[in-house]
Amino acid sequence: MYRMIVVDDEAAITDWLEQAISEHFSGRVEVYKAYSVDECLELMARGSFHILLTDISMPYVSGLDLLKTVSVYHPQTKKLVLSAHDNFEYAKKAIDFEVTAYVLKSEGDEVLFDAVEKAIAEAESDQEMFRLSEKLKLQSQKWDGAIRNSHLRGLLFGEVGLDEFVVRVGSALDYTRPMEMALLAIEVRDVSQRAFAMMALEASLAEFLKPHFSYELVETGMSEVTLLAQIKIDGGVYGEAVQFLNSHYVLYEKMQESFYHLAGQHVNIIYSTQAASAASLHAKYIQFKETMQKFCDFDCSIILPETTKHEASRSSQATSGINREIGIVLKYISQNMDKDLSLIRLADVAYLNSSYLSHLFKQQVGINISDYVKVERIRICKEMLADPKLKIHEIARHVGYDNASYFSRFFKKMTGITPQEYRKHLSID
C-alpha cells in the first residue's frame, strides 16, 4: 500500500481530500493529513511517504518552500500540487521541484485522481529501477566485499587487532573516528533464500543510508548482520544529515519497512544511541549479541536502542488469540472514534513501528487497520442511529466526520443506504 500525505491550511479542504482519496483508492493508498507545512514535515520525519499533495498558498511557510525541503530530504517522495490559482509563476517554480502534476482545485475529482494515479505509477517505476540497479551493483562488488567482510568479522569477533585490520583492509570508514553500530537479525528458514534476503537487506540500507552515511555491512552469522556507519562530513553533508535524521528510529523504521516490502519478512534491529570508538567495537558487539538473544522470536519485529529502554513496555507474544499490543489498539480505536486513527498514531499507542503493526494487525484480526476502522465506525453509527434523539451531524462528529454530507456518502458506500434511510427502516421494524 502506498502512503500519501495531503497538506492545506484550509481544514475543510484537507479533510475532504483525505476522505475522497481514501475512498477512491481504498486498499491502495493510505492517506494522512496535515494543516500546515510544519505539521507535514513532522509527520514525514516519523515515517516515509510515497506521495505528497500540497497547496501552494499557505501562511507563514508556503507550499513552494515545502516542495523545496521535501526535494532535499525526501527525494524519493512524489510531489503533487493542488492550487486555486492558475498562476504561471507558481507552475514554473513547481516544475523546478520536479512535481508530478499541477492540478487546479476547479478541475474536479477525476483530474485529481488521475494525478494521484500517475504519482503511484512513478513510485512503482522508481522502486523497480532502484532494485535492478542495486542488484547489479551488489553483484559487481561481491568478490571484493567477501574479502573485506572476512576481515571486518575478525575485528568484531576480537580475532584481529585494530592495527592489523587497518593494514589489511581498505574501507569507506575512518577508523580514527567514532561510528554507529547496529545489529540486525533476519529469519533464515531456507538457506537457499538467504542470498535473496541479504540482497534485499543491502538494497534497503543503501536506499536510506547512502545519502547521509558511509557504512560497512558485516555478515557476522547465518541470520545476523552487523552495521557500522559514520555520518558524512564532506561538503556540509553532516549538517543536512543531522537535520534529516533527528531520530535514528526513523532511519531504521524506513529501512525495516523497505526490507519487508522486498523480502516479505521482518528484520529485528538493535542500534547504538551513541557512536563508539573502533577499539570498543568488539565489546559493543558482544553486548548487542546478548541483548538480541532475548528477542529471538521472529513473530516479533523490534527496533531497540542499545539501552533496551522500550523492553519494559513490550510484552512477549501471546500464545493464542489477540496479543497485548493489538488489544491496546482495538481498545483505543473503540474509545477514540472521533480522533486521529491513522496508522502512525496507532503505532505510537502500541509502541510498535507502523509497518510491523500493519502486518501484525492483519495477521491477528484478519483485515487491515483502515478497513477495520471503517467497519467499527459503521457498527457504532448503527447503534447511535437507533436513538432518535441523536442528530445525524452529532453521530457524524462522534465517529470522526465533521462534514455530515460526506458522512452520509461514507455510510451509503458501506451499507448501500443513507443514515436517514437506515433510521427509517429501524422505525418501521
Side-chain angles (χ1 to χ4, degrees), residues 93-366:
K93 290 179 180 178
I95 291 171
D96 291 339
F97 297 123
E98 298 181 335
V99 298
T100 297
Y102 187 103
V103 180
L104 296 177
K105 293 179 180 179
S106 60
E107 289 185 299
D109 294 358
E110 290 307 316
V111 176
L112 173 62
F113 295 152
D114 287 345
V116 175
E117 195 72 61
K118 183 179 178 182
I120 292 173
E122 289 186 2
E124 289 176 343
S125 177
D126 283 358
Q127 288 173 358
E128 183 62 26
M129 289 298 293
F130 179 83
R131 286 194 291 269
L132 290 174
S133 64
E134 287 302 315
K135 182 177 179 179
L136 291 173
K137 291 177 184 177
L138 290 170
Q139 288 175 340
S140 67
Q141 297 167 357
K142 184 177 180 180
W143 177 249
D144 289 341
I147 297 173
R148 187 167 63 255
N149 187 85
S150 176
H151 292 318
L152 283 165
R153 189 167 57 240
L155 178 66
L156 291 172
F157 290 172
E159 299 169 351
V160 178
L162 181 59
D163 292 340
E164 182 183 1
F165 169 80
V166 171
V167 171
R168 287 186 185 183
V169 180
S171 174
L173 302 179
D174 179 355
Y175 286 86
T176 65
R177 290 174 49 218
M179 62 195 75
E180 315 286 343
M181 177 187 279
L183 187 65
L184 304 90
I186 58 175
E187 184 174 16
V188 181
R189 290 196 182 101
D190 184 349
V191 176
S192 66
Q193 296 298 313
R194 182 180 181 278
F196 172 75
M198 285 302 303
M199 288 176 61
L201 183 60
E202 293 193 40
S204 298
L205 286 166
E207 182 176 1
F208 295 106
L209 263 70
K210 273 190 175 179
H212 307 288
F213 284 88
S214 299
Y215 65 91
E216 293 281 4
L217 194 61
V218 191
E219 298 182 34
T220 46
M222 179 60 69
S223 60
E224 175 190 291
V225 178
T226 302
L227 175 71
L228 304 175
Q230 287 175 331
I231 293 179
K232 294 177 180 177
I233 60 175
D234 297 334
V237 177
Y238 177 82
E240 294 179 5
V242 170
Q243 291 180 28
F244 176 69
L245 297 170
N246 52 19
S247 167
H248 282 83
Y249 182 92
V250 173
L251 169 69
Y252 289 117
E253 183 185 41
K254 289 181 176 181
M255 187 281 297
Q256 189 181 56
E257 182 177 347
S258 174
F259 179 74
Y260 183 79
H261 176 75
L262 293 173
Q265 64 172 259
H266 292 282
V267 55
N268 290 0
I269 304 170
I270 296 175
Y271 62 91
S272 58
T273 53
Q274 292 182 334
S277 67
S280 66
L281 289 178
H282 171 59
K284 187 171 283 290
Y285 169 74
I286 297 300
Q287 174 196 348
F288 279 22
K289 181 83 170 175
E290 291 174 352
T291 304
M292 184 65 81
Q293 287 173 348
K294 300 176 185 178
F295 297 93
C296 58
D297 180 3
F298 277 95
D299 286 337
C300 303
S301 179
I302 59 173
I303 302 179
L304 297 174
E306 60 186 310
T307 56
T308 65
K309 63 182 179 181
H310 296 307
E311 186 173 346
S313 66
R314 180 185 176 279
S315 66
S316 60
Q317 183 81 7
T319 55
S320 63
I322 300 297
N323 75 359
R324 177 178 176 274
E325 288 87 350
I326 298 303
I328 290 172
V329 170
L330 294 175
K331 182 178 179 180
Y332 184 86
I333 291 172
S334 67
Q335 295 178 348
N336 296 274
M337 294 304 297
D338 61 333
K339 295 183 175 64
D340 176 17
L341 296 178
S342 66
L343 181 58
I344 287 179
R345 175 58 188 147
L346 295 176
D348 287 344
V349 169
Y351 294 99
L352 296 173
N353 75 73
S354 57
S355 61
Y356 176 60
L357 173 60
S358 178
H359 168 75
L360 183 62
F361 193 96
K362 179 69 177 291
Q363 182 184 68
Q364 296 211 348
V365 181

